[in-house]
Amino acid sequence: MSTETAEGDDLEERVANFLRRNFPQIQMHGGSAAIQDIDRETGEVHIQLGGACSGCGISPMTIQAIKSRMVKEIPEIEKVHAGTGDDGGHGGGGGMSPSFPGESSSDDADADEGPQAPF
């Protein structure tokens, strides 16, 4: 259906614009973000952080900011999944496994302290 394709393309463009607007500081520090998948039916988007974000101590805060801001700014998005490399799911290069606020990770206990996310 061409209408759904056009709407899907519009949604992808709005997600890409969101990332461009919210990533200038991260890009200046060598980080990157890419859309891996958008499921319009469930309202889920998968984002892959790369570059300097892989293994960065404040990437969990960056991920949380993306998750909370994207669902507020783009009404069609219900849930954001984000990873920083080797998250076992959506590929995208090496790096350390991400830790997310609210999830426990015994091997990355020092990642819960640090400065605020840069955006």
Side-chain angles (χ1 to χ4, degrees):
M1 295 183 188
S2 61
T3 319
E4 288 181 15
T5 303
E7 289 174 5
D9 291 344
D10 177 57
L11 180 58
E12 185 172 348
E13 185 60 31
R14 286 185 287 144
V15 170
N17 284 335
F18 170 88
L19 293 172
R20 277 192 289 273
R21 280 193 321 275
N22 288 288
F23 261 79
Q25 298 94 341
I26 294 165
Q27 289 173 339
M28 289 184 339
H29 291 116
S32 62
I35 301 167
Q36 296 296 301
D37 184 49
I38 297 176
D39 187 333
R40 187 168 183 78
E41 199 169 297
T42 64
E44 295 183 52
V45 62
H46 293 264
I47 305 293
Q48 184 70 39
L49 301 181
C53 291
S54 295
C56 176
I58 65 169
S59 63
M61 289 179 279
T62 302
I63 289 168
Q64 188 59 40
I66 291 169
K67 287 180 175 185
S68 64
R69 289 181 181 187
M70 190 179 292
V71 296
K72 288 177 184 174
E73 194 172 314
I74 305 172
E76 295 91 338
I77 301 298
E78 297 287 330
K79 184 164 185 146
V80 177
H81 303 276
T84 57
D86 188 26
D87 62 357
H90 294 88
M96 299 173 64
S97 296
S99 61
F100 300 94
E103 293 182 358
S104 62
S105 175
S106 59
D107 63 328
D108 200 13
D110 60 331
D112 58 21
E113 295 292 324
Q116 293 294 316
F119 67 93

